[in-house]
Amino acid sequence: MKATIATLAGDGIGPEVMAEALALLSAMGSKYGHEFVTNEALIGGIAIDETGDAFPAETQRICEQSDAILLAAVGGYKWSDPSAKVRPEQGLLKMRKHFNLFANLRPVKAYPALSQNVPLRPDLLENVDMLFVRELTGGLYFGERKEMGDGDDAYDTMYYSRPEVERVAHVAFRAAQGRRKKLTSVDKANVLASMRLWRKTVTQVHEDYGDVELEHVLVDACTMHMLMRPASFDVILAENMFGDILSDEASVFAGSLGMLPSASLGEGRFGLYEPVHGSAPDIAGQGKANPVGMFLSVAMLLRYSLALEEEALAIERAVDAVLADGARTGDIARKGEPILSTKEFAQAVIAKL
Ligand code: IPM
Ligand code: MG
């Protein structure tokens, strides 16, 4: 098949992991006979420097003409002044909103080969395999907001409408049907009105999915249950900010934040794919970044936007295989283990395909 992919490398370690993603796409194209046309565009801090806008019009145009977007990371010290008018993260938030990518899928699993890296008892990690479905275009991130300005107060609002909760709940229930048929809906219904609407709506949507077991968990309790019984979770549906926080917590099970991929989807096949990790400015430009989150994001792109399931599985299996062989970047290496550079690790995965 022929597909067009917008590639947005962004800042920090972004360009390093994107370079490897492009190598992976080209290897996949040759092996499976696909033509992946990639078009680079600016996002984040580098876009601010060059155009004054974190999500420039030209980038929007390139993305609109693509089948999917692959993004690496945005942000860095240079642009981190909290009083700045334009910030790199705005690029990401604008894109999610512009393309109506309301469902953010973040799979997390524990790798037996990395269990020594996880500060939890190994027996708790057995069979840890969860999928976060984070609502991505509403909630606390997109409700009415007052910036500080010159005044002494500011606020953010957690707002949801019923249709916003319904559509993401359907995504989560359908995902659960294809997995272990359990859905945990996270809220704070004991305190927040928007979260009472959330719980009520999810309960109603559940009526269409009799084969899925639904549990409601308060977000504070959820952070604790995730550490006490991580293997008992299957699909976890959460409000935008709750999903942001919980998915970082869950990254511990995978051994490193550098391991996690994500897909942000709307109603159709179009999607935005990015590793969950950030731009890691402390290690940028040193070849130390872990490319796994990025590679697994490429796999998700092939699966969800291009319906190339076999190709997606091939990438996931190759990653598992090199980890089992002992390949390690610095973030997942134990004391004394040899450390591969971003490129060396990526090449090992590509060689396995
Ligand atoms: C994420 C990130 C973003 C978010 C930031 C960079 C805006 O933390 O994708 O999880 O909060 O959504
Ligand atoms: Mg986050």
Side-chain angles (χ1 to χ4, degrees):
M1 79 179 301
K2 179 175 173 176
T4 306
I5 301 169
T7 61
L8 282 50
D11 311 312
I13 58 171
E16 294 160 65
V17 292
M18 182 61 84
E20 302 315 321
L22 294 177
L24 172 65
L25 277 170
S26 130
M28 292 299 293
S30 324
K31 183 167 158 57
Y32 291 89
H34 302 305
E35 189 186 346
F36 299 124
V37 179
T38 55
N39 293 321
E40 277 178 41
L42 297 172
I43 188 79
I46 187 169
I48 294 175
D49 286 355
E50 295 196 13
T51 71
D53 187 347
F55 178 46
E58 170 71 357
T59 299
Q60 183 177 316
R61 194 186 58 78
I62 289 174
C63 292
E64 281 167 354
Q65 291 169 357
S66 303
D67 298 301
I69 307 167
L70 188 61
L71 185 148
V74 298
Y77 305 129
K78 185 176 170 188
W79 311 278
S80 63
D81 173 5
S83 64
K85 269 246 164 311
V86 281
R87 285 186 303 275
E89 294 77 13
Q90 288 167 345
L92 205 50
L93 299 173
K94 277 185 180 173
M95 283 177 82
R96 292 170 178 173
K97 195 72 179 176
H98 176 77
F99 292 106
N100 201 17
L101 304 170
F102 58 84
N104 182 219
L105 273 44
R106 296 184 166 187
V108 179
K109 67 172 186 169
Y111 294 84
L114 301 182
S115 67
Q116 296 293 329
N117 295 51
V118 181
L120 275 182
R121 283 201 329 260
D123 60 295
L124 289 178
L125 293 174
E126 272 165 39
N127 304 316
V128 168
D129 183 353
M130 52 183 89
L131 173 69
F132 286 89
V133 178
R134 169 187 175 194
E135 200 291 326
L136 203 60
T137 52
L140 198 50
Y141 274 47
F142 288 96
E144 193 183 308
R145 164 169 303 149
K146 182 180 175 215
E147 295 285 351
M148 280 181 295
D150 291 333
D152 293 324
D153 68 345
Y155 60 77
D156 300 278
T157 315
M158 190 182 284
Y159 167 88
Y160 272 113
S161 65
R162 175 185 295 279
E164 282 178 306
V165 181
E166 281 172 352
R167 62 185 183 176
V168 75
H170 280 290
V171 171
F173 277 113
R174 282 198 299 268
Q177 281 183 323
R179 296 174 45 105
R180 302 200 311 276
K181 300 192 167 48
K182 180 171 174 197
L183 179 67
T184 302
S185 175
V186 180
D187 63 42
K188 188 71 186 176
N190 53 346
V191 179
L192 303 173
S194 56
M195 293 290 93
R196 285 192 278 275
L197 173 75
W198 177 282
R199 186 176 287 212
K200 198 172 149 193
T201 307
V202 172
T203 303
Q204 283 165 354
V205 173
H206 184 214
E207 289 170 11
D208 295 350
Y209 302 89
D211 54 336
V212 177
E213 178 198 342
L214 170 65
E215 70 171 351
H216 298 284
V217 179
L218 296 171
V219 63
D220 49 349
C222 190
T223 62
M224 181 267 291
H225 287 299
M226 267 175 42
L227 298 180
M228 298 293 285
R229 51 173 182 92
S232 74
F233 290 91
D234 182 15
V235 177
I236 303 170
L237 170 64
E239 183 271 345
N240 202 339
M241 170 110 149
F242 294 166
D244 179 45
I245 297 169
L246 291 173
S247 57
D248 266 34
E249 183 191 1
S251 73
V252 172
F253 306 134
S256 162
L257 189 55
M259 302 288 292
L260 301 198
S262 81
S264 302
L265 306 171
E267 299 288 359
R269 280 217 165 264
F270 183 80
L272 162 66
Y273 301 84
E274 53 173 325
V276 174
H277 67 68
S279 60
D282 52 320
I283 58 161
Q286 300 170 37
K288 289 182 178 170
N290 183 341
V292 171
M294 189 68 182
F295 274 25
L296 296 179
S297 299
V298 171
M300 292 185 90
L301 184 158
L302 299 179
R303 171 174 296 126
Y304 294 109
S305 282
L306 307 182
L308 298 174
E309 176 64 26
E310 187 192 336
E311 287 82 339
L313 276 173
I315 295 175
E316 290 162 353
R317 290 203 187 106
V319 167
D320 285 351
V322 301
L323 288 169
D325 287 352
R328 300 286 184 268
T329 44
D331 57 322
I332 51 173
R334 275 190 298 156
K335 236 191 155 122
E337 278 183 327
I339 293 176
L340 299 185
S341 70
T342 308
K343 183 169 282 318
E344 287 165 339
F345 189 101
Q347 287 300 323
V349 176
I350 291 171
K352 275 278 180 211
L353 286 171

